[in-house]
Amino acid sequence: MDTKWKKWLNTILITMVIAVMSVAGIYGLMECNTIASSEVGYASLDNFEDSTWYKSQIESDLITYWAKQEKYGQGYVYDTEISEKHIEEIFSESRLTANLVIKPYGQKKEKVHSSYGNGTIKEGNPGGETIRLKISRDRDKSMDAQGRFTEWQNQQVIDAGEFYNFSGEPYLPSIIRDGMLINDEQGWRLESADITLQMSGQALQKMESFYNQAQNTLTAALKNFVIIGAIEIFGVILLIVLFALQKRRTRFFRWMDKIWWEVIGMAAFGLILGIVGLFYAVWAFTRQYAENNAGGTEVEIAMILCSIAMPVVIALFAVCIQTTVWRIREKNLLDSTLCLGYVRKWYRREKERRNMEYEAMSFSEQHVQDRIKLYRTIRGVLVLFILCCVIAISVTGIIGVIFAVIGVFMMRRLSEYSDKYAREQLDLSKLVDQIQRISDGELSAQTDLPKDSPYYEYSTKLANIGSGMEKALETQMKGERMKIDLITNVSHDLKTPLTSIIGYVDLLSRDPGLSEEAKDYVKILNQKTERLKHIIADLFELAKATSGDAKVDLEPMDMKRLIEQTLGDMEDQIKDSGFKIKFQCDSEHTRFLGDVNRMYRVVQNVIENALKYSLSGTRIFVRIKDEASKVTLEVINTASYEMDFTEEEIMERFARAEKSRTSEGNGLGLSIADSFTKNCGGTFNIKINGDQFKVTVQFPQYLE
């Protein structure tokens, strides 16, 4: 499959996974709304599994409903939030009878009888259930003249139930509200109460039916939440796999890799809390609606906003997963952290610094450092061993003393070995110094090592090698000087007869009496003598350049102007060759230090070499560019022959690339260019790549 299609397929799959996770999250919000609006919304799962507990809460709601109807508990909500329709259905098969004694403040007590419910309760209430609750005032609590509790008026007690005694089912006192006991708004308090709740068998069956409905709702919701959770977890796993399979990332998300991973982790954790917050918001608004504290419009707006926010939160969480997976793939997760990242980077930099310091040391210094580390380690172990033996003497007795003595003896032997090694190390440092001096050119370098030193023999041999190398070098230099002198003298001696030959050939060419055949011979003589003249001149210049006696006048030059001037001077030669030269300058700073005459000759030789050996119909490229604050000249051409030689071979004197020697070259042009470039402080390199021949001349930039 094409890489582009793989990328699109991966992107489509990621989008689909995020979409499925978002739909599952929105469905979870709807389930949360369903549970919060049902009778399950108020209870914990453990309590709701207990049918007895549910039944007790319904009984509490029946008493609360009666109190609200009789205006003894206005403003209070039910425990189970069961609908009033269900309460009324249960009351249709039940009856509540209450005998109350109420004490209006500043007035006489009043007896109140209340009976509520439409149920027909047979005598003995067969198959049903009867609950009785008695309430009486605590006589030990002080009251004022109006009949108010003193502590309640002074706000010393906030629970009205502390002023009363209860008898009956243990859970019933908890459902009696403060407003049913003390009602300051209406100006009365309860003196005593006798409440009897009778529920028939039909009422109990309805309660069981309501409980079963709530259980089914809870069971279905739990199953749906398990499925939704599985979808979300499986979606996260799929996202991790799909992000790991990505070959390239969208450029938009790359900037996230620069953020500390702790921030990404906190953002991911915050997004998870955000998802929980969306469920809590739906739950809270739905509960307020169930408690008549919010309208249906508010719940609908909350559901819409949470449903819109769910895909956004999941998509942002997917982005956090993506940047985490890519950091793990690129093995820089720890480096991208704020805490561990800087510690790891600091440790690596410190390790690199120590390695560079170690590598910068000489061999003897490295050897000393390694030995010192080893000595200190062994010494520390021996000291710890001796201390442990001394401490253990009280337990081990003579055995501890023996081991301590052995440790002291080993410490002494270690010191003796260390002293001996230090002396040997000093001798080794002298030997290394001798090697360094010889490598620097002091071939006669020697040391003052004693004869009993283990390195004395090697130092002597090294001194003999240095002496031999010095003699061999002197002989070689003498031969080189002789060759240079020979070339110089021969070149000079050839100039005089060559000048005479050129003069006589010139005179012959002017004789009008020569035949046409003789004129052709004279013309050939003139060409060959001119070529011989150039060869002798090149030999002389090359001998001077390689002898070290060449006088170089360095001055600021402009490489661009030098190329333009050389190309202008060679315009006729370039035109006759039939080649096109493309000149390009990619550098703003083209000034360097060089000798004008020699650098002109360098550029001329390189271009002439390209004109002689280029393939017909091709172009020659001349380019100036910047490379590491250096002015770089490149001349590139395509050869007209098979280049079966190396860069080193073509740089040798009299070496010619064209083995047939049908061209006019003498094999000295590149060698002269190389010598002149080095005389001026530059570098001259040749690179062969297939049929491409590239010459590179490089000089440091000259910035005023």
Side-chain angles (χ1 to χ4, degrees), residues 467-486:
S467 301
M469 291 176 60
E470 188 174 18
K471 292 178 181 179
L473 182 60
E474 185 178 352
T475 303
Q476 183 180 359
M477 292 300 296
K478 184 177 180 180
E480 288 292 328
R481 284 194 297 269
M482 289 178 64
K483 286 193 292 184
I484 293 172
D485 292 341
L486 177 62

Side-chain angles (χ1 to χ4, degrees), residues 536-554:
I536 293 172
D538 289 345
L539 281 172
F540 190 73
E541 290 291 339
L542 185 60
K544 288 175 60 178
T546 56
S547 65
D549 298 331
K551 184 179 179 181
V552 180
D553 296 325
L554 297 179

Side-chain angles (χ1 to χ4, degrees), residues 366-595:
Q366 293 178 357
H367 200 50
V368 169
Q369 183 173 350
D370 294 339
R371 287 289 184 171
I372 289 175
K373 287 182 179 179
L374 180 61
Y375 169 73
R376 289 177 177 174
T377 302
I378 298 175
R379 184 182 62 181
V381 173
L382 288 177
V383 171
L384 182 62
F385 176 75
I386 294 172
L387 291 176
C388 292
C389 291
V390 172
I391 295 173
I393 287 176
S394 60
V395 179
T396 60
I398 189 64
I399 297 177
V401 175
I402 293 173
F403 278 105
V405 172
I406 293 174
V408 173
F409 176 76
M410 294 175 65
M411 180 68 75
R412 181 179 177 183
R413 293 296 299 170
L414 178 64
S415 300
E416 293 175 354
Y417 171 78
S418 178
D419 294 340
K420 178 183 178 182
Y421 173 75
R423 290 191 295 269
E424 293 179 356
Q425 188 62 40
L426 180 60
D427 294 342
L428 178 62
S429 299
K430 293 180 180 179
L431 179 63
V432 173
D433 180 66
Q434 182 185 10
I435 297 173
Q436 183 65 39
R437 288 159 60 191
I438 291 176
S439 67
D440 292 338
E442 189 182 348
L443 300 179
S444 60
Q446 295 183 354
T447 60
D448 57 349
L449 292 177
K451 292 185 178 181
D452 58 345
S453 173
Y455 303 110
Y456 175 77
E457 181 181 357
Y458 302 104
S459 177
T460 304
K461 292 180 179 180
L462 190 61
N464 295 335
I465 293 174
S467 301
M469 291 176 60
E470 188 174 18
K471 292 178 181 179
L473 182 60
E474 185 178 352
T475 303
Q476 183 180 359
M477 292 300 296
K478 184 177 180 180
E480 288 292 328
R481 284 194 297 269
M482 289 178 64
K483 286 193 292 184
I484 293 172
D485 292 341
L486 177 62
I487 294 173
T488 304
N489 294 332
V490 170
S491 300
H492 185 270
D493 292 341
L494 288 175
K495 282 185 177 181
T496 302
L498 180 62
T499 303
S500 300
I501 294 172
I502 292 174
Y504 286 119
V505 171
D506 184 58
L507 290 175
L508 285 174
S509 65
R510 297 178 184 180
D511 187 359
L514 292 177
S515 63
E516 291 298 327
E517 185 177 1
K519 288 182 180 179
D520 291 337
Y521 293 154
V522 171
K523 183 178 179 181
I524 293 173
L525 283 173
N526 189 29
Q527 292 175 353
K528 298 303 180 183
T529 52
E530 285 295 329
R531 182 180 176 187
L532 182 59
K533 179 182 177 181
H534 288 307
I535 292 174
I536 293 172
D538 289 345
L539 281 172
F540 190 73
E541 290 291 339
L542 185 60
K544 288 175 60 178
T546 56
S547 65
D549 298 331
K551 184 179 179 181
V552 180
D553 296 325
L554 297 179
E555 59 181 286
M557 297 181 61
D558 192 316
M559 182 66 77
K560 182 179 180 182
R561 293 182 59 185
L562 175 62
I563 300 299
E564 292 173 346
Q565 180 182 351
T566 307
L567 292 176
D569 294 342
M570 298 178 65
E571 184 176 0
D572 294 337
Q573 185 178 353
I574 295 172
K575 186 176 180 181
D576 294 339
S577 68
F579 291 101
K580 291 185 179 180
I581 296 180
K582 184 177 181 181
F583 173 55
Q584 181 180 355
C585 182
D586 299 330
S587 173
E588 296 181 0
H589 305 287
T590 58
R591 290 172 60 81
F592 68 100
L593 289 178
D595 186 290

Side-chain angles (χ1 to χ4, degrees), residues 61-81:
D61 281 340
L62 292 173
I63 296 177
T64 304
Y65 182 81
W66 159 78
K68 292 180 66 175
Q69 297 300 321
E70 296 294 327
K71 299 182 181 181
Y72 294 121
Q74 288 183 343
Y76 296 100
V77 299
Y78 306 118
D79 283 339
T80 60
E81 309 308 332

